[in-house]
């Protein structure tokens, strides 16, 4: 769910005492819709993306682009060194103003305001000067895009227009009873609340309906009167006015479903409710997986398209090769027909279109018919069959080689697509791009990318203190397994499932069963079977893992192994991961 106005109020009240007076040391823009302000060891994330607009402190490290965007450069010019004077949210608005004390190039004090409009697809991040004039914004809105409200440099900033509904904090008992009496009894309770009040989200409306009527989609006629619904509404408003908020996340089958600033009971026992220490921690956890998928979609779209196109092309090519290979199964029949023509030359005449003779290859000596080309002599017809036989024999050997290469490349491209699903940083995508270019699946074009240090493998620490490394891509898998790992280390990989090479670094010590299971869990998590249960994971000593000659990156063989079955536990793996 997007961050509603009440949850945004809870976040602002949580952040205000932590941020007031802090100096902005650095400004980063890791993604088009994200700006991060570094404040004395804290990272303040302002996200103006349509799917997840929000304001929070974050612990997640995000890679920055090689060249900072223009908006980031503008923010650095105006806000570097500024101090946060206050965080202001207009009542029930999905809008936050960061009031900043700054200084100009001559050291004269001034004021800048950074406005986050967290309004779904209309979300924006706007920088204002001391007079409230727009310096610039993340998304410019001209008259063609909106006739009622333009957001352009040089204009005075005007907040979005009100929705025209009654602010829920201004409701009175008399007004509520009158609205309840005038409403259609067949109307759903949540729809009644949403149509009447400004500041109530769909989740909140359903929860109030559930508490009053016992079901989230209850209707007004199910209530004996307005008293019960009014009582629940008053309790909710008291929590808002007094700032009694509780960070709550709802999970279904282990996956984040919703979050709220007060307990939610409408989903019943099928959904787990988890209370967090802070809203920032909750939002980090809730949006981490979604952000990773979105980054993969945006940054990896071209790579996914290139890898998928190459894989589909190979799939069609392999189907044609298999068809041609099946036709070569009749090559001995061609040789036999050539022999029968040669053996019956004395009986044949030029212009004959069919030879009927005994098949001396069969014990029964039954008659067979051999088609002939009437434009050719008998000798030429025999030579034609021998030529087709020789061609089929050569084609069979060639097709076997080509089909093996096609299957190898298809397996490789499937592994690349699995890597792209799990890629997290810009460096991950750059390395996969380089890998596809070196493999001939993607053309090298445009200006050369700036050289960067290779990304480090994912690092974990087991309960027994053993270090575990997981490769991020095929080239890193090769380097990790064949060069960096000690021969005494233990290698893990999902059985017949694409995934990362995982190394349990033993240092000559003997790992316990718990360490083995945790490393296997990591291997299952870093694979295409992340969402599956009872995943088979093979493990063996690194010295038994070899790379065949001519194999694609990431492809290895191993002579001996043991297999353990695990169910990936995302929360446990996050706890094991070493933060850098």
């Amino acid at each position: 769910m997007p961050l509603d106005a009440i949850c945004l109020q809870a976040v602002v009240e949580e952040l205000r005492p932590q941020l007031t007076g802090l100096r902005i040391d650095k400004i980063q823009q890791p993604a088009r819709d994200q700006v991060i302000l570094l404040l004395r060891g804290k990272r303040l994330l302002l996200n103006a993306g349509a799917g997840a607009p929000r304001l929070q402190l974050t612990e997640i490290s995000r890679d920055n682009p090689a060249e900072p965007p223009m908006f980031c450069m503008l923010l650095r010019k105006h806000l570097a060194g500024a101090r946060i004077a206050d965080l202001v949210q207009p009542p029930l608005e999905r809008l936050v103003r960061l009031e900043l004390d700054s200084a100009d190039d001559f050291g004269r004090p001034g004021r800048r305001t950074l406005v986050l409009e967290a309004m779904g697809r209309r979300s924006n991040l706007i920088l204002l000067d001391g007079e409230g004039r727009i310096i610039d914004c993340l998304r410019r809105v001209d008259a063609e895009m909106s006739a009622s409200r333009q957001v352009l440099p040089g204009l005075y900033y005007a907040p979005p227009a009100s929705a025209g509904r009654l602010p829920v904090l201004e409701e009175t008992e008399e007004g509520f009873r009158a609205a309840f009496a005038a409403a259609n009894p067949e109307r759903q309770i949540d729809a009644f609340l949403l149509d009447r009040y400004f500041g109530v989200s769909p989740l909140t409306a359903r929860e109030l309906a559930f508490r009053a009527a016992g079901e989230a989609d209850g209707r007004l006629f199910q209530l004996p009167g307005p008293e019960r619904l009014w009582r629940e509404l008053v309790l909710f408003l008291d929590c808002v006015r007094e700032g009694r908020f509780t960070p709550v996340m709802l999970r279904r089958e282990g996956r984040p479903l919703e979050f709220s600033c007060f307990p939610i009971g409408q989903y019943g026992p099928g959904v787990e409710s988890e209370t967090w220490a802070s809203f920032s921690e909750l939002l980090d956890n809730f949006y981490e997986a979604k952000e990773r998928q979105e980054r993969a979609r945006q940054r990896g779209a071209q790579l996914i398209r290139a890898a998928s196109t190459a894989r589909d092309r190979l799939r069609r090519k392999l189907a044609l090769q298999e068809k041609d290979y099946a036709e070569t199964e009749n090559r001995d029949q061609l040789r036999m027909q050539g022999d029968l023509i040669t053996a019956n030359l004395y009986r044949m005449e030029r212009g004959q279109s069919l030879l009927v003779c005994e098949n001396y290859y069969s014990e029964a000596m039954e008659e067979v018919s051999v088609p002939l080309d009437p434009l050719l002599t008998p000798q030429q017809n025999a030579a034609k069959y021998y030529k087709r036989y020789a061609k089929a024999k050569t084609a069979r050997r060639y097709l076997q080689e080509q089909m093996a290469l096609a299957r190898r490349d298809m397996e490789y491209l499937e592994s690349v697509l699995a890597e792209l699903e799990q890629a997290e940083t810009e460096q991950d995508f750059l390395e996969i791009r380089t890998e596809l270019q070196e493999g001939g699946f993607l053309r090298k074009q445009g200006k050369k990318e700036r050289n960067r240090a290779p990304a480090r493998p994912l690092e974990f620490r087991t309960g027994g203190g053993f270090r575990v490394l997981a490769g991020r891509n095929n080239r890193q898998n090769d380097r990790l397994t064949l060069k960096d790992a000690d021969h005494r280390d233990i290698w893990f990989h999902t059985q017949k499932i694409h995934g990362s090479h995982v190394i349990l670094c033993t240092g000559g010590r003997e790992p316990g069963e718990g360490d083995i299971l945790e490393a296997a869990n990591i291997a299952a998590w870093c694979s295409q079977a992340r969402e599956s249960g009872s995943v088979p994971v093979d493990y063996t000593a690194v010295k038994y893992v070899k790379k065949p000659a001519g194999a694609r990156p990431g492809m290895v063989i191993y002579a001996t192994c043991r297999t353990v079955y695990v169910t990936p536990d995302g929360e446990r793996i996050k706890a094991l991961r070493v933060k850098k």
Side-chain angles (χ1 to χ4, degrees), residues 1 7 10 203 211 245-251 257-265 267 271-279 282-283 286:
M1 62 165 286
C7 281
L203 177 66
R211 294 182 180 185
F245 300 116
T246 304
V248 175
M249 183 191 295
L250 304 176
R251 294 180 184 274
L257 174 67
E258 299 269 14
F259 66 84
S260 178
C261 56
F262 59 94
I264 300 293
Y267 293 105
V271 172
E272 301 175 24
S273 180
E274 183 179 3
T275 302
W276 289 75
S278 71
F279 282 99
L282 181 152
L283 293 172
F286 186 87

Side-chain angles (χ1 to χ4, degrees), residues 160-177:
S162 174
R165 291 169 290 168
L166 177 68
V168 68
L169 293 174
E170 298 178 10
E171 180 62 291
T172 63
E173 185 173 358
E174 292 76 13
F176 177 81
R177 287 180 176 274

Side-chain angles (χ1 to χ4, degrees), residues 282-320:
L282 181 152
L283 293 172
D284 254 0
N285 190 280
F286 186 87
Y287 283 113
E288 181 181 9
K290 292 186 177 182
E291 277 194 2
R292 183 175 62 249
Q293 293 171 358
E294 181 64 17
R295 286 196 301 271
R297 187 188 67 82
Q298 291 179 352
R299 297 178 179 176
Q302 182 189 4
L303 300 179
I304 292 173
R305 186 165 56 251
S308 299
T309 301
R311 179 199 59 189
D312 295 341
R313 188 185 301 118
L314 281 171
R315 192 173 287 164
R316 292 191 297 269
K317 180 180 177 181
L318 182 60
L320 293 174

